[in-house]
Amino acid sequence: MGIRRCETVKDEDLLKSDRNGHEKDEGWAEALGIRALEYLAEEPALLGRFLAMSGLEPGQLRQAATQPAFFAGLLDFILAHEPTLIAFAAAANVRPEQVAEARRALAGSYGETPQ
């Protein structure tokens, strides 16, 4: 399928947080969502499971990633399975709690009330 790493996502974007560890803006959450998609692209079995659960075809990923709710759904997928969450957080060099915080930030970006 060949998903390329997005050159606009920098590691420092994933580290943006205030002194309490809360992310400053949606940009951080979107950067983590992009990192999550890259992670799935490197894990064929996990990508297959995500596609099966989401109903997406591989060729639909690029278009789906332009929709506001896509990355929130992708992070939901990661959050739903603790071993996947732990592995992704380690690969992205973030705490698992930050993945949940990013999910909440993305929820607000498309009109869902964060929980």
Side-chain angles (χ1 to χ4, degrees):
M1 180 172 52
I3 296 177
R4 297 181 326 157
R5 178 172 171 77
C6 180
E7 297 302 323
T8 60
V9 179
K10 300 179 181 97
D11 288 337
E12 58 266 19
D13 289 336
L14 295 177
L15 300 176
K16 289 181 180 177
S17 60
D18 65 18
R19 63 181 156 254
N20 296 319
H22 296 36
E23 287 68 48
K24 293 180 181 177
D25 60 19
E26 290 171 9
W28 182 93
E30 287 179 18
L32 190 60
I34 291 168
R35 179 69 61 91
L37 184 55
E38 292 170 348
Y39 178 77
L40 286 188
E42 296 168 1
E43 300 288 335
L46 199 55
L47 179 60
R49 195 170 97 218
F50 173 73
L51 292 172
M53 293 180 77
S54 68
L56 292 171
E57 296 292 328
Q60 296 173 310
L61 276 178
R62 189 174 306 277
Q63 178 61 34
T66 66
Q67 302 303 311
F70 176 79
F71 290 113
L74 178 55
L75 293 180
D76 277 341
F77 171 79
I78 288 173
L79 287 162
H81 187 244
E82 187 174 7
T84 301
L85 171 61
I86 300 301
F88 168 66
N93 198 30
V94 297
R95 295 184 320 275
E97 305 84 50
Q98 289 178 296
V99 178
E101 290 171 8
R103 168 54 180 98
R104 283 190 296 275
L106 289 171
S109 73
Y110 70 91
E112 179 182 311
T113 303
Q115 297 178 2

